[in-house]
Amino acid sequence: MLLATCALPTFNALAQSDGGSAFYEKVVEFPKEATVEEKIEMASRLVPSQNQMEWQNLGLTAFLHFGVNTFTDREWGDGSEDPAVFNPTALDAEQWVKTLKDAGFRLVILTAKHHDGFCLWPTKTTGHSVAASPWRNGKGDVVAELRKACDKYGMKLGLYLSPWDRNSPKYGDSPAYNDQFVAQLTELLTNYGKIDEVWFDGACAEGPNGKRQEYDWLRFRKVMETLQPDAVLAITGDDVRWVGNEGGVGRETEWSATALTPSIFPESEASNSNLGINAMSEDIGSRQLVAKADRLYWWPSEVDVSIRPGWFYHENEKPHSLRKLAEIYLASVGRNAVLLLNIPPDRRGLIHESDAKRLMQLRHWVDDNFSNNLVVRSDKATGIYRFQAPAAVNCVSVSEDITKGQRIESFEVFARTTDGWKKVSHGTTVGNKRILTFDTVTADALMLVIDSSRGKACIKDVEAYNITLPEEDTAPEDRYSEIAAHYSISGMTLTAELPESKPVAGFIYTPSLKDNKAGTIFHYRAEASADGLHWTEIPTSGEFSNIVNNPVPQRVVFGRPIEAKFIRLTATEEINSRDFITAGDFQLLLEK
Ligand code: FUL
């Protein structure tokens, strides 16, 4: 059963044009006998809800990952953390919000509770919260401080409440935990003013013998709708879709009108597996898929990525280069998505100076490159967009009027040079915004040619720019050299050997992305040896947290360098409980 609000195609009061045809808000269900052409025609009239529309217009949104992990130097806490570790020395939510506001962000989402279950507000539902910490003598409330700062600076607020809870004794006892979760959600959505986005993460990794929780998603959704009717529900929810990676890259072909069923709906598993798709699939909306699907959702993409390698603050990590952030901007905002950039407050409880600086550099890069639109006269009928005078151009930004649906399937861009029209670029989907870059040409107009669309394409805007990507940073200063050690794998064990014994400071395990990441290590034991016969265990967290969603190189630095010729990892769990492991690469870290 779908929710009442989403069960049937509803006529959208906002839109009644397009030859008098009706629009379908958020979901369109196809009649059983519908032909492909009929389905495509209906798909062209699938539109966002008002809440989705407002969210889509935010463009830049920020994430704040903050909690016990900030103090334990982990990415996923296991729930056994002593609340006393949470003790920021100079927490200043105004500094967070002012920094983000200055950098052009319009909404900020805080991890009110991450997978470790530690609540950043003094909840009545568990003792595992700021109330049990020394911070502000147990009288603090991070959510309240952030609320106040958001009010001061006119910033929208969103909250991340992790469904997976490694601390709650009720977790896995489904009805009891669902009640606790609803109570937490109710506190957050009642006591902290207007909340504009609620984030229910999909991660859960208790493993084959772990606790399995049956979430009552539709109940959670109802609570949100009742308490915060203007909010959007992200990730497992049906308003905002996870783009499918944590690397900051949207799809080249990004359909907001998708055959993928959001996971809050009970039929999602069956429906998505029948269609052979999941959140990471490359194709989630092509004609071939629409032909097979019995309904489509308007479920637009959000690109969540961290400004640093990890989601939480770690002393030994640095913010990404401006170049990388500019590329992320083009591959998210420029690919029909909203960018959700994470900036993790540090142990003081402040956005680190280097991150703040990088954010302002990004803001200036966007302003400098996207404020001088060369187009002065638009003629949508001919598709010709004229400039004031011939100018260097290497970038086009195209927007569809998505209040009429997402329709364009492929298009070409031509530039008028002194030699006539010259093709400079082409793309597939457009949606809310598609930015394409191309080799610089001198031209006095661009022409947009729509090659294929679902019904009549409704162009909102075409802009042209001459942009410059920031220079690549020179290699960042690092304390360690990365040594490509000789390594071999047998069953669940990876053994690396150095030509001679050295003080090894850590390692980098890079998962292999082949065969759907088969053989990726999730939990492991690390050991060192001088002779390959006698082994000593090395203390590590023993977990590559979040490797499923974010299969990037895993850099592990030991507490202190260990003299060894051999380093071995024995996997205690592969991501899908397989009995073998693989690696894309394995390097050892040596102090310089
Ligand atoms: C993931 C989580 O497991 C990460 O820790 C992080 O919160 C990210 C945004 O979502 O699934």
Side-chain angles (χ1 to χ4, degrees), residues 63 65 75-76 114-115 160 199 201 203 246 304 311 546 549:
F63 231 161
H65 272 67
E75 277 291 292
W76 280 1
H114 203 252
H115 310 328
Y160 172 118
W199 232 81
D201 186 82
E246 294 180 356
D304 62 321
W311 288 101
N546 209 23
N549 288 336

Side-chain angles (χ1 to χ4, degrees), residues 125-147:
T125 62
T126 168
H128 201 56
S129 81
V130 279
S133 80
W135 177 63
R136 307 233 193 283
N137 295 319
K139 301 269 178 293
D141 182 339
V142 186
V143 183
E145 294 193 20
L146 181 57
R147 165 79 275 161

Side-chain angles (χ1 to χ4, degrees), residues 318-332:
K318 293 198 177 69
H320 297 313
S321 66
L322 178 60
R323 166 73 174 224
K324 175 143 182 181
L325 292 185
E327 285 170 351
I328 287 174
Y329 181 88
L330 294 174
S332 56

